[in-house]
């Protein structure tokens, strides 16, 4: 249950009430908000006088639910805005991993040339094998931070575990919680304590309910800035890397108030499929599209097979603009 307390209730009284009914508490736009598990179906009589409005749920998708807030959340990322009523699909580009200063600089220059705002690259890579490239770590994060300063780009980079989450919060505009990390409570709780936007990627074996509940961890801790990212599920199929769940995207659009980004690169696993899949994604009226591109994919240190060339990335934007327009969106 979500409860909005009356305006005359002080913050300290709200904290006491939250303790009494074992609820999460935060202040949103001046309103004291309490959230309990969905098991609570009635306002406890002891706090009735303090409650202004309340919402009852039949499962633990609450703050993210359209039943609570019917309009899509608007999330400010650095110098731009995603979601809300913008009717815009933001194209987010960059390599899978930051590999060197010259490599990430070329990525940044490409985005600036194309008029794009948001650069994504991994520094703390959650690799499946301990013997593959693990990312440049803090050194890579500093390179991203430098690109942010020099080019005014927004930076998205991922957190692998809770040891470096504060560094990522400090130096990025969006914290990416990857498909393998989205169950990590240390990361989710740290993300809940900041106001930095958090991009949660859906695990490849994660139900929609589990996915949105990961978002609830961040929202209920007081950070309203959550964006969801569908990046493909593991199915019986092995010819493609994963299977992009567009049905799931339709479900999320219908039932949640969170902005949605799609990632066709990780879903497909092969560059040849990324442009056509991107069209399908953009045709759904989405808030962002995340596509990996590298100056020379053949030598990329991670996800080499799926990254577009820089020319391929330029062509992608040109081909997507009319698709976005056909569904009443603009592509930037
Ligand atoms: C990535 O974004 O480079 C990445 C590792 O993605 P995912 O968490 O979706 O596997
Ligand atoms: Mn990748």
């Amino acid at each position: 249950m979500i409860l909005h307390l009356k305006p005359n209730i002080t913050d300290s009284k709200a904290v006491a009430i939250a303790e009494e009914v074992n609820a999460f508490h935060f202040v949103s736009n001046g309103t004291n908000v309490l959230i309990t598990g969905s098991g609570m179906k009635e306002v406890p009589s002891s706090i009735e006088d303090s409650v202004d409005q309340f919402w009852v749920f039949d499962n633990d998708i609450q703050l993210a639910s359209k039943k609570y807030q019917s309009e899509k959340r608007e999330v400010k990322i650095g110098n731009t805005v995603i979601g809300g009523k913008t009717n815009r699909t933001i194209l987010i580009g960059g390599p899978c991993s930051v590999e060197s200063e010259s490599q990430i600089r070329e990525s940044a220059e490409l985005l600036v040339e194309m008029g794009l705002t948001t650069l994504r690259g991994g520094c703390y890579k959650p690799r499946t094998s301990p013997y593959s490239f693990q990312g440049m770590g803090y050194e890579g994060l500093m390179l991203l931070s430098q690109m942010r300063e020099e080019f005014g780009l927004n930076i998205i980079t991922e957190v692998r575990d809770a040891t470096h989450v504060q560094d990522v919060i400090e130096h990025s505009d969006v914290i990416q919680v990857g498909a393998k990390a989205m169950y990590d409570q240390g990361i989710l709780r740290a993300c809940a304590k900041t106001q930095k936007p958090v991009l949660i990627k859906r695990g490849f074996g994660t139900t929609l309910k589990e996915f949105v509940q990961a978002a609830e961890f961040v929202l209920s801790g007081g950070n309203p800035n959550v964006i969801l990212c569908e990046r493909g599920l593991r199915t019986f199929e092995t010819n493609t890397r994963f299977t992009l769940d567009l049905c799931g995207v339709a479900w999320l659009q219908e039932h949640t108030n969170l902005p949605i980004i799609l990632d066709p690169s990780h879903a497909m696993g092969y560059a040849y499929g990324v442009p056509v899949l991107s069209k399908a994604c953009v045709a759904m009226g989405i808030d962002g599209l995340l596509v990996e591109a590298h100056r020379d994919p053949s030598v990329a240190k991670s996800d080499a097979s799926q990254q577009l060339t820089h020319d391929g990335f330029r062509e992608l934007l040109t081909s997507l603009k009319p698709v976005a327009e056909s569904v009443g969106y603009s592509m930037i």
Side-chain angles (χ1 to χ4, degrees):
M1 182 183 281
I2 301 176
L3 306 104
H4 282 189
L5 300 186
K6 288 183 174 160
N8 63 336
I9 304 290
T10 60
D11 291 357
S12 56
K13 176 91 194 312
V15 171
I17 297 174
E19 268 174 31
E20 184 186 329
V21 297
N22 198 18
F24 284 85
H25 163 253
F26 61 86
V27 181
S28 168
N29 298 326
T31 300
N32 278 291
V33 183
L34 305 191
I35 315 153
T36 71
S38 54
M40 188 182 280
K41 302 292 182 200
E42 280 172 18
V43 178
S45 54
S46 62
I47 67 164
E48 232 166 33
D49 288 350
S50 309
V51 175
D52 198 10
Q53 263 186 295
F54 64 93
W55 293 258
V56 177
F57 296 89
D58 50 21
N59 62 49
D60 282 345
I61 297 177
Q62 303 194 66
L63 291 164
S65 166
K66 277 231 166 96
K67 262 170 75 180
Y68 171 58
Q69 183 182 314
S70 58
E71 297 201 337
K72 198 190 317 174
R73 286 169 190 262
E74 189 175 280
V75 176
K76 194 169 178 302
I77 56 174
N79 58 21
T80 192
V81 162
I82 191 164
K85 290 194 186 127
T86 56
N87 279 11
R88 269 195 327 214
T89 306
I90 295 183
L91 179 60
I92 300 161
C96 179
S97 297
V98 178
E99 299 172 5
S100 67
E101 180 176 342
S102 72
Q103 174 243 18
I104 199 65
R105 180 178 296 282
E106 280 186 39
S107 298
E109 285 168 350
L110 172 71
L111 297 194
V112 171
E113 167 210 311
M114 292 170 67
L116 302 178
T117 55
T118 309
L119 171 67
R120 195 207 70 119
C123 308
Y124 300 94
K125 298 302 297 178
R127 305 307 300 281
T128 305
S129 165
Y131 310 119
S132 27
F133 177 62
Q134 304 292 304
M136 289 181 76
Y138 192 73
E139 199 189 334
L141 188 59
M142 289 303 99
L143 291 177
L144 284 176
S145 175
Q146 197 181 323
M147 297 306 119
R148 187 193 199 195
E149 285 289 306
E150 275 184 43
F151 296 95
L153 290 165
N154 304 317
I155 297 297
I156 305 183
T157 194
E158 81 179 291
V159 171
R160 184 176 57 213
D161 57 61
T163 60
H164 49 258
V165 64
Q166 293 310 332
D167 289 336
V168 170
I169 291 171
E170 188 180 335
H171 296 287
S172 69
D173 298 290
V174 179
I175 311 151
Q176 176 179 322
V177 181
K180 294 171 188 158
M182 62 145 277
Y183 290 102
D184 186 313
Q185 305 277 313
I187 293 176
L188 294 175
R189 286 174 199 278
C191 290
K193 289 201 190 105
T194 170
Q195 295 293 294
K196 270 277 156 82
V198 185
L199 173 70
I200 305 181
K201 295 186 96 179
R202 181 181 181 187
F204 44 73
T206 298
T207 64
L208 291 164
K209 189 173 166 203
E210 287 167 342
F211 184 27
V212 184
Q213 283 180 168
E216 291 279 337
F217 264 100
V218 179
L219 297 168
S220 63
N223 184 352
N225 303 310
V226 179
I227 305 160
L228 298 177
C229 177
E230 160 61 28
R231 45 75 76 206
L233 303 178
R234 175 154 291 157
T235 66
F236 51 82
E237 186 52 68
T238 53
N239 282 302
T240 57
R241 190 176 182 193
F242 294 100
T243 298
L244 193 62
D245 182 17
L246 297 186
C247 295
V249 173
W251 187 91
L252 294 168
Q253 287 176 326
E254 178 71 15
H255 296 282
T256 80
N257 56 37
L258 301 172
I260 299 171
I261 290 181
L262 264 67
D263 170 357
S265 300
H266 289 87
M268 185 69 202
Y270 300 98
Y272 72 83
V274 172
V276 71
L277 265 178
S278 295
K279 286 186 182 159
C281 295
V282 169
M284 290 191 78
I286 53 167
D287 305 295
L289 185 78
L290 195 162
V291 172
E292 287 188 345
H294 192 285
R295 64 180 175 187
D296 181 0
S298 68
V299 298
K301 292 187 175 171
S302 60
D303 287 348
S305 64
Q306 71 195 31
Q307 301 200 59
L308 299 186
T309 60
H310 285 187
D311 276 346
F313 191 72
R314 286 186 187 94
E315 284 162 25
L316 179 77
L317 179 59
T318 309
S319 72
L320 291 178
K321 280 185 171 166
V323 181
E325 278 160 22
S326 75
V327 294
Y329 272 59
S330 61
M331 187 90 205
I332 59 155

